[in-house]
Amino acid sequence: MQRRDFLKTTAAGAAFTLANSGVNSRGRAAETAACCDRTYATPAAAMLAPPETTAYMPAIYTGTKRKKPDYMATVDVDPLSATYSQVVDRLPMPNVGDELHHFGWNACSSCHGEDGASRRFLVVPGLASGRIHILDSADPRRLKLHKVIEGDEIARKTNLSTPHTVHCLADGLIMISMLGDAQGEAPGGFLLLDSEFRIAGRWSQNQTGMNFNYDFWYQPRHNVMISSEWAAPNTVRRGFQLDDVKAGKYGHSLHFWDWEKHVISQSIDLGDQGMIPLEVRFHHNPDSAHGFVGAALSSSMWHYHKPGDQWQADKILQVEPVELEGWPFPVPGLITDLVLSLDDRFLYFSNWLHGDIRQYDVSDPAHPKLTGQVWLGGLLKKGGKIRDKQLNGGPQMLQLSLDGKRLYVTNSLYSVWDNQFYPAIGEEGSYLLQLDCDTKQGGLSLNEEFYVDFGAEPGGPARAHEIRFPGGDSTSDIWV
């Protein structure tokens, strides 16, 4: 499919968007819109959706001195609202010590048009507890707890633990990458939940060729799912240690699965230049066989593609390490998150230790061009103030609006590693910031009007992590 054809919105798609967007006279999505309005026929239709007005993110007390449950924070991101840039609701979890982390939806655009499919329930795992929380967003400004699946039940029925990435599937099932087995050892696997949030079993019983697990993304038109590698839960829970890297306890491979047969058909070892490949992002265009993965420890960006019968991965970017006083080795950028715009033109990634966010034009995915860069704290201390306050930590989790014009960022990675590299995050709390993105020429700038200080939360400073919007975002949806 040519790019111009991919970006062209059909009359039917545009009609769907306008008819189902719930737009009010202010040009904002009506907060009372029906849940079934939250999926899109194509990426181009999603880009025409109304701007986000609400954002969700975990606020985490796990790993701090505050013995309180983590909670889901609801933030007003509507610049025309009286409560703009404020937390407007907080839903605490039933237990202490979950470490809410990455989360997703029960349904998304992969099941667009299916009867009964609606982007209504948030599926929120606890990385530390193994629990999975189901939250009802029928009222987008007031989440409700719908169900809790206990980690013990998951371990007993599937021998899996430590839930991470959540993706909805086109058949109504929900798939979650699990980092470990019931004992916290690698390689883990993939858990399936049915539409009633009951444990449906494992996606694959055969883990042959799999060393570790982390993120995943599927592209059905190419009969493929890609998964990446972090480490066994028992390894990362004790903090980052170079000796563990030398001992081979961290991953450096990509796995390409046969989507229909549920088995690994090909693995690519990225070697020393691709240590700890974390987030993976296929093109949103379902016909495309191109995608990106960031290798955190090596601070390299890789382009994976399929030029023939086999998949190939090429290093396309390298963030060079920097000598820093007090460090026994040059400090890597540590690419911890990346996001791709829905038109597949702009790639964004964060260097958590260095402290910058970068924007690249990847219209030619093999030859990225740097078009924007912003510094938001970090160990290199090259900048990062807002309202005269120095930002602690470094930029980490990223989320991009559907139209690609607003990039949201938080600074917490994982409580154990936060406490090791940026202890101030646990003591002073996280931030939520928003960057304005130039989608014509490229460019990034900090929106000085938007700042959510999670250090000022009523229950004490909290860590903020992944970001989602009720109407979808640039990492929630897969088109089939």
Side-chain angles (χ1 to χ4, degrees):
M1 182 182 292
Q2 297 295 317
R3 179 172 293 276
R4 61 179 178 273
D5 297 326
F6 172 59
L7 294 178
K8 186 185 297 180
T9 304
T10 63
F16 165 82
T17 301
L18 294 176
N20 293 280
S21 62
V23 177
N24 59 26
S25 59
R26 294 169 58 197
R28 295 292 185 265
E31 294 291 0
T32 56
C35 293
C36 56
D37 297 343
R38 300 180 184 173
T39 64
Y40 310 96
T42 64
M47 293 184 72
L48 293 179
E52 67 283 354
T53 59
T54 300
Y56 306 124
M57 66 214 61
I60 303 161
Y61 284 131
T62 303
T64 71
K65 297 177 182 179
R66 290 161 289 284
K67 303 302 181 184
K68 299 179 179 181
D70 302 341
Y71 59 96
M72 187 62 68
T74 301
V75 176
D76 187 336
V77 296
D78 182 353
L80 299 182
S81 170
T83 54
Y84 176 58
S85 185
Q86 296 179 31
V87 178
V88 294
D89 191 58
R90 299 168 182 87
L91 177 65
M93 299 301 103
N95 300 281
V96 174
D98 283 310
E99 178 118 16
L100 303 183
H101 201 65
H102 290 206
F103 64 109
W105 292 99
N106 67 305
C108 59
S109 293
S110 67
C111 46
H112 174 73
E114 295 293 327
D115 291 341
S118 62
R119 192 197 311 265
R120 173 175 172 177
F121 294 96
L122 287 167
V123 181
V124 187
L127 197 63
S129 68
R131 297 185 187 93
I132 297 174
H133 308 82
I134 311 300
L135 311 183
D136 189 346
S137 72
D139 179 351
R141 290 294 182 104
R142 190 169 294 277
L143 297 174
K144 294 182 178 180
L145 181 65
H146 177 74
K147 182 178 181 178
V148 177
I149 306 169
E150 291 293 336
D152 290 345
E153 181 186 1
I154 296 170
R156 185 176 67 254
K157 292 181 176 180
T158 67
N159 191 31
L160 293 171
S161 73
T162 321
H164 193 268
T165 302
V166 178
H167 276 305
C168 57
L169 305 185
D171 59 6
L173 293 174
I174 301 157
M175 187 161 155
I176 305 171
S177 63
M178 309 292 286
L179 305 191
D181 62 17
Q183 288 72 45
E185 296 297 338
F190 300 93
L191 174 71
L192 291 175
L193 303 180
D194 67 17
S195 59
E196 299 298 321
F197 311 112
R198 295 171 298 209
I199 296 172
R202 299 172 68 127
W203 180 74
S204 172
Q205 300 298 325
N206 185 349
Q207 312 297 94
T208 301
M210 189 178 184
N211 309 305
F212 306 100
N213 201 12
Y214 185 73
D215 196 24
F216 73 101
W217 193 287
Y218 61 94
Q219 199 80 320
R221 295 187 190 182
H222 292 277
N223 188 36
V224 69
M225 180 184 83
I226 181 174
S227 66
S228 60
E229 297 186 333
W230 189 15
N234 290 340
T235 298
V236 300
R237 284 170 183 159
R238 60 175 179 257
F240 178 77
Q241 300 176 31
L242 271 181
D243 287 343
D244 286 338
V245 178
K246 297 175 183 177
K249 295 183 178 181
Y250 280 91
H252 44 82
S253 294
L254 300 178
H255 303 290
F256 296 86
W257 298 73
D258 186 304
W259 183 239
E260 295 178 355
K261 296 180 180 178
H262 302 192
V263 296
I264 293 176
S265 58
Q266 183 185 348
S267 294
I268 298 178
D269 187 344
L270 304 180
D272 292 342
Q273 298 185 62
M275 291 300 300
I276 314 185
L278 294 182
E279 310 299 333
V280 293
R281 305 282 184 256
F282 256 112
H283 271 177
H284 297 285
N285 175 358
D287 283 325
S288 174
H290 294 269
F292 303 92
V293 59
L297 185 59
S298 298
S299 301
S300 55
M301 186 63 61
W302 295 71
H303 165 226
Y304 57 85
H305 55 114
K306 194 177 184 182
D309 294 333
Q310 293 290 302
W311 291 91
Q312 180 176 322
D314 305 308
K315 190 175 78 167
I316 55 172
L317 290 168
Q318 178 66 58
V319 178
E320 296 298 337
V322 176
E323 296 282 354
L324 197 63
E325 185 177 355
W327 278 70
F329 55 89
V331 178
L334 210 74
I335 298 174
T336 52
D337 198 17
L338 62 139
V339 63
L340 188 63
S341 61
L342 287 188
D343 59 4
D344 296 326
R345 180 185 173 192
F346 288 108
L347 174 71
Y348 301 84
F349 66 80
S350 55
N351 288 304
W352 189 58
L353 291 183
H354 283 186
D356 62 315
I357 294 176
R358 301 187 185 189
Q359 178 200 57
Y360 285 85
D361 187 326
V362 289
S363 299
D364 178 352
H367 300 95
K369 297 178 180 179
L370 181 64
T371 50
Q373 186 176 25
V374 171
W375 293 88
L376 300 173
L379 297 176
L380 304 189
K381 302 186 184 304
K382 289 191 174 183
K385 282 189 176 182
I386 188 167
R387 301 179 188 175
D388 295 323
K389 182 172 181 178
Q390 181 66 44
L391 298 171
N392 63 44
Q396 208 281 106
M397 289 306 301
L398 304 176
Q399 191 51 267
L400 189 65
S401 61
L402 291 171
D403 60 11
K405 295 180 179 180
R406 292 165 301 283
L407 183 70
Y408 295 82
V409 54
T410 60
N411 63 343
S412 174
L413 174 61
Y414 169 51
S415 65
V416 179
W417 289 25
D418 287 355
N419 292 340
Q420 185 175 355
F421 295 103
Y422 290 122
I425 297 177
E427 298 166 0
E428 301 173 9
S430 284
Y431 58 66
L432 172 66
L433 303 175
Q434 185 245 301
L435 305 181
D436 293 320
C437 308
D438 185 333
T439 58
K440 295 182 179 179
Q441 303 299 321
L444 285 174
S445 60
L446 180 63
N447 177 4
E448 298 281 352
E449 301 300 317
F450 186 93
Y451 172 45
V452 181
D453 181 4
F454 280 88
E457 283 293 272
R463 312 177 198 266
H465 199 68
E466 191 172 43
I467 306 134
R468 296 282 184 213
F469 312 124
D473 48 64
S474 293
T475 59
S476 290
D477 288 321
I478 295 174
W479 281 269
V480 298

